[in-house]
Amino acid sequence: MHFLLGLAALSAFAQTAFAGYLPDKIYGVNIGGWLVLEPWMLPAEWTAMGGQICSDCSECIMSEWSYTKTYPDIANEEFAKHWSTWFTQADVNQLVEDGINTARIPLGFWIVEQIVNRETEFYPEGGIVYLQQGLKMLNDAGIQAILDHHALPGVQTGDQSFTGNCTDNVEFYTDYNYQRALVWTAVMTSLTHLDPNFDSVFAIEAVNEPIMDANETPGYGTFQKNFVDTVRAVELTLGIPVPGMTLDTQISTNNFTEALGQVANTSTIFNSNVKEALAEAAPILVELAIQLAVPAILDTNLASGLPSRSTLVTTFMDINWQYDNPPNPADAAIGPQGYDNHLYYSYGGVAAANPEAYLESICNLDRVQADAALGDTPLWFGEWGLPTQFNATDEFLYEWADAQKLAYSKGAGWIFWNFQVEQSEMAGNLSYIEGVKLGYLTKDPSQYNNASVCDPYYSS
Ligand SMILES: *[C@@H]1O[C@H](CO)[C@@H](O)[C@H](O)[C@H]1NC(C)=O
Ligand SMILES: *[C@@H]1O[C@H](CO)[C@@H](O)[C@H](O)[C@H]1NC(C)=O
Ligand SMILES: *[C@@H]1O[C@H](CO)[C@@H](O)[C@H](O)[C@H]1NC(C)=O
Ligand SMILES: *[C@@H]1O[C@H](CO)[C@@H](O)[C@H](O)[C@H]1NC(C)=O
Ligand SMILES: *[C@@H]1O[C@H](CO)[C@@H](O)[C@H](O)[C@H]1NC(C)=O
Ligand SMILES: CC(=O)N[C@H]1CO[C@H](CO)[C@@H](O)[C@@H]1O
């Protein structure tokens, strides 16, 4: 049967399946510290595993890379324990009770194990199965998910555990690593549309926190376009309508991975980077079809409702994340796209280190308008938290939570960092679940302890 005709015939009976659906307002949490382990968030567990904590993370065993290099024989097993205990059904139940509608899931490139260069790159294996299970829990709970490419091949920013390898050797902004990120993107887009466990995924984020100085991110604008094209190429191959784009390949198979190969071989609407990514993703998906038990990858007649699915929301850090004449991700958009900005006051450089200055700053935040003026809308705040540079009183933390939620809700909403942290002094005030228990964060995330908190601070 002809691939596309087969899908069209099926669609009449298909149930509605969702992708690309943006909640009215995002009230979200990050599932951080899970599939990208940041040791500072769980120092007791990390040191019990054999890791170390030091002030410069490149100087000790303080990243997944250095841990796996040090303990090659036990890393997979130790991480499997972590993956199965850090984020559980009990956590999902708690998030439902707390009214959370969105989860941003930080992922490393190594979750697609086939793109890891095992000679030089050291990462645990097996995470993808836990991702599938976690997404199923979220989907069953009605919580939507963003797949966040948080730790990029080659490391996207220096000296951070959150890139997987704490190093000043930043190599993401090269052809080789951009290409691997596109393969990752093709694989994740395919799984999202073909594995029912991924049904809760509505967005895929290209690059978490690239270097802010655009002079140090050569080729990033081209990558943005290739990222969107890769997502859309997979979707067109599946028969999912993409606004303003038509596939020029006759697909003559129900075997999706073979169809990817046909598009890679004959399409003239995608460039060679995108087509190579499709071709490289195909054999990886054949393996994942078996590992994750997703028969629809090999026979899309088994996938229901593809034509009724909608395109994913491609997502980037906003243009104002960078300076020095950055590329505008809005120029890459084809179909629905979202923008992410992160704001932490505790590192300094945003406002003077006192409560009044913090409130004056956040209450007059203009990032949503500034981005919208450049086409970067809808904007959500994909990371924020309650930490401060001073010893905050409880009274201030109530105001600080309310004022930030007010500011971020002027855009598409907010995603707190993090759903939980280990209960230790080091990681204080970063747990959403704990913050709700203590009352700083309201039980209903759309509410405020005091919705007038900003009134004395508005400057106009
Ligand atoms: C990872 O970090 C090590 C140092 O810990 C460094 O030698 C290596 O080049 C880094 N790899 C990448 C891809 O940055
Ligand atoms: C589907 O196509 C792939 C090539 O991409 C091939 O390896 C696989 O055997 C095919 N599967 C089936 C069930 O025909
Ligand atoms: C694509 O082209 C390559 C090289 O000519 C060929 O080996 C492969 O079978 C083709 N794939 C498909 C799916 O047509
Ligand atoms: C916060 O309080 C702790 C202990 O009470 C103290 O050691 C520290 O210096 C204080 N920090 C600031 C920034 O005031
Ligand atoms: C809410 O905040 C405003 C502004 O600071 C204040 O005037 C008002 O008294 C507060 N309301 C409550 C119930 O605390
Ligand atoms: C959850 C948490 O750690 N809350 C703490 C935040 O900071 C205030 C003030 O320092 C503490 O009182 C809370 O216990």
Side-chain angles (χ1 to χ4, degrees), residues 352-387:
N354 65 72
E356 290 69 34
Y358 271 38
L359 290 173
E360 194 172 327
S361 163
I362 195 70
C363 291
N364 294 291
L365 191 75
D366 66 355
R367 291 188 181 191
V368 175
Q369 303 91 306
D371 271 2
L374 297 170
D376 285 19
T377 192
L379 173 72
W380 57 79
F381 288 79
E383 292 188 19
W384 64 285
L386 298 179

Side-chain angles (χ1 to χ4, degrees), residues 255 257-258 282 286 298:
N255 180 339
T257 59
E258 195 184 348
V286 172
L298 298 177

Side-chain angles (χ1 to χ4, degrees), residues 190-225:
S190 302
L191 288 176
T192 296
H193 287 299
L194 290 170
D195 182 350
N197 296 302
F198 281 60
D199 267 355
S200 57
V201 176
F202 74 97
I204 180 163
E205 180 163 8
V207 181
N208 172 64
E209 299 195 358
I211 295 177
M212 289 180 161
D213 184 348
N215 286 334
E216 294 178 39
T217 64
Y220 180 44
T222 302
F223 175 75
Q224 291 173 345
K225 294 195 163 116

Side-chain angles (χ1 to χ4, degrees), residues 258 261-262 265:
E258 195 184 348
Q262 292 179 355
N265 277 8

Side-chain angles (χ1 to χ4, degrees), residues 343 345 362 384-386 399-409:
L343 188 49
Y345 281 70
I362 195 70
W384 64 285
L386 298 179
E399 298 183 320
W400 186 222
D402 280 346
Q404 288 192 82
K405 284 163 58 182
L406 276 169
Y408 307 148
S409 297

